[in-house]
Amino acid sequence: MIQYFLSDYSSCVLLLVISLAAFAFLRWKQVTYSVFKAANIPGPEPIPIFGNAWNIWKKVLPEYDQQLYQKYGKIFGTFDGATPVINIAEPDIIRNIFVKDFDHFINRRNFSVKNRIFRKFITIAVDREWKAIRAAISPAFSSGKIKRMSVIMEECSRRLVSSLKESIAKGDGIFEAKNEFGTYTMDVIASCCFGVDIKGEGENSSKFVDYASFLFGPNLTSSPLAIIPFILPWLGRYTFGKMIKLKQWQFFISITEALVKQRAHSNISYNDFIEMSLEAASETAKKGLLNSEEVQEIVIAQSLLFFLAGYDTTGTTLTLTAYSLALNQKVQDKLREEVMNKLDENNGVLDHNVANSIEYIDQIINEVLRLYPPAIRVERLCNKAITYDKLHIPKGMIVNIPLYPLHRDPQYFPNPEKFDPDRFSPDRKRIIHPNAFMPFGSGPRNCVGMRFALEEIRLALCAIIKEFRIELSEKTEVPITFPKGFSGLLQPRNVFLKLELLE
């Protein structure tokens, strides 16, 4: 039978092609997956094609990172498909990568997105374009601009309190925290940044939160499709093109485009994010860093990004803060005492100055961000090879900082699972390595919206703690759980808490 098969010329050619393909594949596997072994860097064994990404959508990503960290240490290698990723949780090296040697690590992973809006996201922009975009939108997040916007945030916090009181009036006072706080953060962003009252949007009002929750929820990230852009970038671009046609994406894209175009041709002063960004981007264009066509495209992109990313990460932080306060009543009591003292000094008025004068509230927020960093991982792409002692990072290597296990390392945070805001007291926070705690990233490419997010968190917490006691309910999961899926953001779901109205 074999002799008959081999006597056929076409069969011989086919067998030769298969043999050469198998040899080429084995050789590719040997060369590709030997990168870290040759450098004596430990890590999990990859499998062909998928690397270490196979089945990752079935895992809880922060817990998966924690397991790798505990098994392989502060520096280990993984593969996204055939792409090597060096994971680093050594603060001294992180400081060099993000600050001292930033010129070697300017960019993040390149997804080569072609869509005219998404390609301008500051999170994926590269080199000169990133610098131009950063220069164009940074003025919108200055301390002075945020202080002016805090007046609008205060009104949003009052609406949040009214909504929570309605929950109590309806029955047992139990509420789903992420949904309630997500509504608040969407209200803040829509009001402060776009001059839009989402409650006045008629039938569209509920879509703002519902659609944003869908786009960031496990329904997308728990699918095997979530890993395609990482293991097969060319196919990822195709699936991405399909994804942005979802009605949820199109809803936010159309609203953002309409608002930006309206502002660009309006003589009315709104003093919102879009107006300030258009002004700053136009000034950047005058310096030759942008052309006139790019200005609107950049503002639309950053507005859309801010609309969605700002909603989810801040809503998550508020949810986990409320959960932590419910678990730690003594911390909550101390916070309430400090808030009430400051309010008494200010004739009962909650404003920017009160919210920013309570040091203990920042200690609590920092401890929540330590235990539950909204962004699970932070990446950089090495654009110029560099060596740290015996660690060589070649050009083109992706560097990942696994924040979740880094923030729980007992070397930097003793008894790391304990919720202890006093870690960040004035005396103790000085001994924390600055790059062992970096929930907003670090260096020139840190989160541009950090001050805005902290302002709305402080104001919301002050408003809530003044009116309510936050408690666990019979529906509260302890410890809190996170859904499975390949999402770079922490996603608490079904966090049911109970409120007691204070006398």
Side-chain angles (χ1 to χ4, degrees):
M1 184 70 176
I2 296 177
Q3 289 178 340
Y4 175 78
F5 178 77
L6 292 177
S7 66
D8 184 90
Y9 177 76
S10 61
S11 298
C12 290
V13 172
L14 178 61
L15 183 62
L16 178 62
V17 169
I18 292 173
S19 299
L20 289 173
F23 174 79
F25 174 76
L26 291 172
R27 180 61 179 163
W28 169 83
K29 177 179 180 292
Q30 179 185 18
V31 172
T32 300
Y33 291 148
S34 65
V35 171
F36 293 122
K37 287 183 179 178
N40 200 29
I41 294 173
E45 190 69 25
I47 63 173
I49 307 299
F50 295 96
N52 301 114
W54 180 249
N55 274 347
I56 198 169
W57 64 88
K58 295 182 180 180
K59 302 178 184 295
V60 179
L61 191 59
E63 294 175 3
Y64 174 70
D65 283 353
Q66 182 81 40
Q67 292 165 6
L68 294 180
Y69 187 77
Q70 291 174 343
K71 184 173 183 178
Y72 299 109
K74 297 181 187 300
I75 300 175
F76 57 92
T78 56
F79 289 88
D80 291 343
T83 303
V85 179
I86 185 166
N87 299 266
I88 299 176
E90 172 53 62
D92 286 334
I93 299 177
I94 294 172
R95 177 183 56 202
N96 289 333
I97 290 171
F98 281 72
V99 183
K100 182 175 176 289
D101 301 311
F102 177 72
D103 62 316
H104 289 255
F105 301 92
I106 294 174
N107 301 323
R108 293 174 178 157
R109 185 193 301 248
N110 184 7
F111 289 102
S112 299
V113 175
K114 301 300 182 183
N115 180 272
R116 64 185 181 85
I117 295 176
F118 289 80
R119 69 186 179 186
K120 297 293 186 181
F121 278 1
I122 192 172
T123 50
I124 61 176
V126 301
D127 299 326
R128 171 188 170 275
E129 186 172 54
W130 166 76
K131 292 180 181 177
I133 293 173
R134 182 85 181 200
I137 67 170
S138 290
F141 293 104
S142 68
S143 298
K145 298 284 176 58
I146 288 172
K147 185 175 182 179
R148 289 208 297 272
M149 286 190 284
S150 69
V151 177
I152 302 174
M153 294 184 194
E154 292 158 24
E155 178 57 37
C156 294
S157 70
R158 285 191 285 272
R159 288 199 286 266
L160 170 62
V161 167
S162 296
S163 177
L164 293 173
K165 286 182 178 179
E166 288 176 11
S167 295
I168 293 177
K170 288 177 182 177
D172 53 14
I174 295 176
F175 71 106
E176 203 289 300
K178 182 62 185 292
N179 181 67
E180 197 71 57
F181 292 131
T183 301
Y184 162 74
T185 57
M186 183 63 76
D187 189 16
V188 168
I189 293 171
S191 301
C192 290
C193 305
F194 306 100
V196 173
D197 176 8
I198 61 173
K199 294 187 181 299
E201 287 290 304
E203 63 179 19
N204 282 337
S205 61
S206 63
K207 291 181 181 179
F208 280 87
V209 175
D210 292 344
Y211 284 4
S213 297
F214 174 85
L215 294 174
F216 286 94
N219 43 319
L220 293 182
T221 58
S222 60
S223 165
L225 296 176
I227 68 168
I228 287 179
F230 297 87
I231 62 173
L232 298 170
W234 60 272
L235 184 57
R237 286 192 290 274
Y238 172 78
T239 57
F240 178 80
K242 294 292 185 182
M243 183 191 71
I244 62 174
K245 293 180 181 179
L246 291 170
K247 66 178 181 181
Q248 290 85 356
W249 274 118
Q250 291 303 312
F251 173 78
F252 286 105
I253 290 171
S254 61
I255 285 177
T256 305
E257 285 185 315
L259 286 169
V260 171
K261 289 175 182 177
Q262 179 193 43
R263 295 291 192 280
H265 299 93
S266 174
N267 294 321
I268 301 172
S269 180
Y270 291 88
N271 287 319
D272 59 15
F273 174 79
I274 291 179
E275 181 180 290
M276 290 183 282
S277 295
L278 281 169
E279 290 175 358
S282 298
E283 289 300 315
T284 304
K286 291 177 183 177
K287 298 175 184 177
L289 298 176
L290 298 173
N291 61 50
S292 57
E293 292 180 359
E294 290 177 309
V295 169
Q296 245 188 50
E297 200 172 87
I298 285 172
V299 175
I300 289 171
Q302 304 337 301
S303 300
L304 178 63
L305 178 64
F306 192 33
F307 225 142
L308 295 170
Y311 147 80
D312 191 75
T313 53
T314 307
T316 291
T317 301
L318 276 167
T319 297
L320 294 168
T321 303
Y323 168 79
S324 299
L325 292 174
L327 275 175
N328 298 272
Q329 291 293 323
K330 289 184 179 178
V331 173
Q332 187 179 159
D333 289 340
K334 181 177 179 181
L335 175 61
R336 182 173 294 106
E337 182 181 358
E338 296 204 14
V339 168
M340 298 308 292
N341 287 339
K342 290 294 181 180
L343 287 171
D344 287 343
E345 294 173 8
N346 202 45
N347 298 317
V349 177
L350 173 59
D351 58 18
H352 168 84
N353 293 329
V354 168
N356 284 269
S357 65
I358 304 170
E359 198 167 73
Y360 194 55
I361 203 168
D362 284 340
Q363 293 177 212
I364 291 171
I365 294 170
N366 283 335
E367 180 67 347
V368 171
L369 292 172
R370 181 190 70 81
L371 282 168
Y372 309 108
I376 301 168
R377 298 172 169 181
V378 180
E379 285 189 348
R380 291 292 184 269
L381 178 67
C382 182
N383 58 284
K384 289 190 288 185
I386 195 167
T387 300
Y388 298 113
D389 195 10
K390 296 180 181 180
L391 176 65
H392 179 70
I393 304 178
K395 180 180 178 180
M397 177 72 74
I398 293 173
V399 178
N400 173 57
I401 313 302
L403 292 186
Y404 190 85
L406 173 62
H407 285 186
R408 291 168 180 253
D409 190 322
Q411 179 179 344
Y412 312 113
F413 303 99
N415 196 5
E417 299 300 321
K418 180 183 179 183
F419 182 77
D420 180 14
D422 287 334
R423 296 179 200 275
F424 293 93
S425 65
D427 291 336
R428 291 176 60 185
K429 70 180 179 182
R430 285 195 290 265
I431 65 174
I432 299 174
H433 194 298
N435 287 98
F437 175 69
M438 43 187 291
F440 294 99
S442 181
R445 199 157 183 168
N446 68 346
C447 176
V448 70
M450 176 180 67
R451 285 194 290 253
F452 184 95
L454 290 173
E455 182 79 9
E456 61 178 316
I457 292 170
R458 291 185 191 111
L459 285 166
L461 288 178
C462 287
I464 292 168
I465 215 72
K466 171 180 177 287
E467 301 284 349
F468 308 102
R469 177 173 295 280
I470 310 170
E471 299 176 336
L472 301 178
S473 76
E474 60 269 22
K475 298 172 68 176
T476 309
E477 290 185 355
V478 180
I480 199 167
T481 59
F482 301 96
K484 297 176 182 178
F486 193 52
S487 170
L489 299 176
L490 211 58
Q491 297 290 341
R493 283 293 182 273
N494 299 320
V495 183
F496 291 96
L497 300 172
K498 186 174 183 178
L499 293 174
E500 176 188 340
L501 188 62
L502 298 174
E503 296 297 333

